[in-house]
Amino acid sequence: DLSEEQVQRRYGLDKAAIAALCRDLGSDLQSVTGRSHALPVAVKVTSALAFLATGSFQTATRDATGISQSAMSNCLAQFLEALQRRASRYIAFPAPTRAATLAGSPASADTFPGVLGLLGAMHVALRAPSENEPAFRNAGNSHSMNMQVVCDAAGAITNVVAKFPGSCPNATVLENSALARLLDGAQPRGLWLLGNGSYPLKPWLMTPIARPRGPAELRYNTLHRVAMAALRRTRCRLRRRFRCL
């Protein structure tokens, strides 16, 4: 009996998306113990989403009709494991053999033709780990994971690498990713990613010109910055929707 606005605020998704998740993850989340007090799939899904949307176990347990914090932790672990097993259904990088362009005609002077995606990074905060703590300390002197993200012009995320500590440079994350191996091997002609200055220039990766000379290079940097705005918006939406990040 919550309104769509209340559901969106509490769980980060609308009712239809939550119902779809319950259907999709149901086979993994359905209790097989036969216990009379086993939590329903819908409770597990909404409990996990409440935590992801707020970043608070206390808020999540209160919004999930008062289940215990240990039950909340179990719901979250089961939900994330089930979701990760299906990640490839939702996150898929386009085949580099076919051109994908940003909005507008490939021939337009105001777009980059052949853009496969927009590459960047976002740091996900975490508590200081007990092991190898310095590796997780980032340039801002806080602890994080350095997550590589690629999205398209519409904001759909097409590639994620989320296993490197916060001290790891963006370029190192890219060099050690399956995405770099894919593009190095495919050697796509006329197709590339766009990335910021923290990445090296590659045949398939276009970065800003550090010291532009003349109107052509200035225009290139302007168009590059405009195109990359879609990635900045995507990261902001992701953090706003899922406060746990």
Side-chain angles (χ1 to χ4, degrees):
D1 36 351
L2 295 176
S3 68
E4 282 288 357
E5 183 180 352
Q6 289 171 318
V7 170
Q8 182 84 38
R9 189 184 311 117
R10 181 176 293 187
Y11 301 113
L13 300 176
D14 59 26
K15 292 182 180 181
I18 294 173
L21 272 178
C22 289
R23 291 191 299 270
D24 196 13
L25 307 182
S27 59
D28 285 13
L29 299 182
Q30 187 70 49
S31 176
V32 295
T33 63
R35 293 181 304 169
S36 59
H37 299 293
L39 293 176
V41 169
V43 172
K44 292 181 179 181
V45 170
T46 53
S47 297
L49 288 175
F51 169 75
L52 297 176
T54 63
S56 166
F57 273 110
Q58 287 74 25
T59 301
T61 53
R62 184 186 68 238
D63 290 347
T65 63
I67 65 174
S68 68
Q69 188 160 322
S70 61
M72 174 66 230
S73 297
N74 289 334
C75 289
L76 181 62
Q78 292 176 31
F79 175 85
L80 292 177
E81 288 172 4
L83 198 61
Q84 286 171 340
R85 281 194 284 271
R86 294 162 174 80
S88 60
R89 298 185 190 177
Y90 303 97
I91 303 173
F93 189 72
T97 53
R98 65 180 179 84
T101 62
L102 290 170
S105 165
S108 169
D110 295 326
T111 60
F112 281 83
V115 173
L116 289 168
L118 309 172
L119 169 70
M122 60 183 288
H123 282 260
V124 179
L126 45 76
R127 290 181 179 176
S130 57
E131 296 182 7
N132 201 19
E133 179 272 338
F136 292 87
R137 191 177 293 276
N138 58 39
N141 203 34
S142 59
H143 297 90
S144 66
M145 296 291 294
N146 187 0
M147 185 170 76
Q148 179 175 289
V149 179
V150 178
C151 76
D152 61 19
I157 295 175
T158 59
N159 183 266
V160 171
V161 179
K163 60 182 180 180
F164 287 88
S167 66
C168 197
N170 295 348
T172 301
V173 176
L174 176 63
E175 289 295 337
N176 289 277
S177 69
L179 179 62
R181 293 191 292 273
L182 170 67
L183 295 175
D184 280 337
Q187 297 182 342
R189 290 181 176 273
L191 301 175
W192 39 69
L193 300 176
L194 300 185
N196 63 27
S198 66
Y199 297 100
L201 183 67
K202 290 178 174 290
W204 44 264
L205 176 58
M206 303 295 285
T207 60
I209 297 173
R211 296 178 180 82
R213 298 178 180 178
E217 292 186 353
L218 287 170
R219 179 167 175 76
Y220 166 86
N221 275 4
T222 297
L223 295 179
H224 190 286
R225 183 174 63 255
V226 170
M228 290 294 290
L231 176 62
R232 293 190 289 272
R233 289 193 297 270
T234 297
R235 290 183 300 199
C236 287
R237 283 198 297 266
L238 197 61
R239 290 187 185 279
R240 284 200 304 267
R241 178 167 293 188
F242 300 112
R243 297 287 183 179
C244 65
L245 299 175

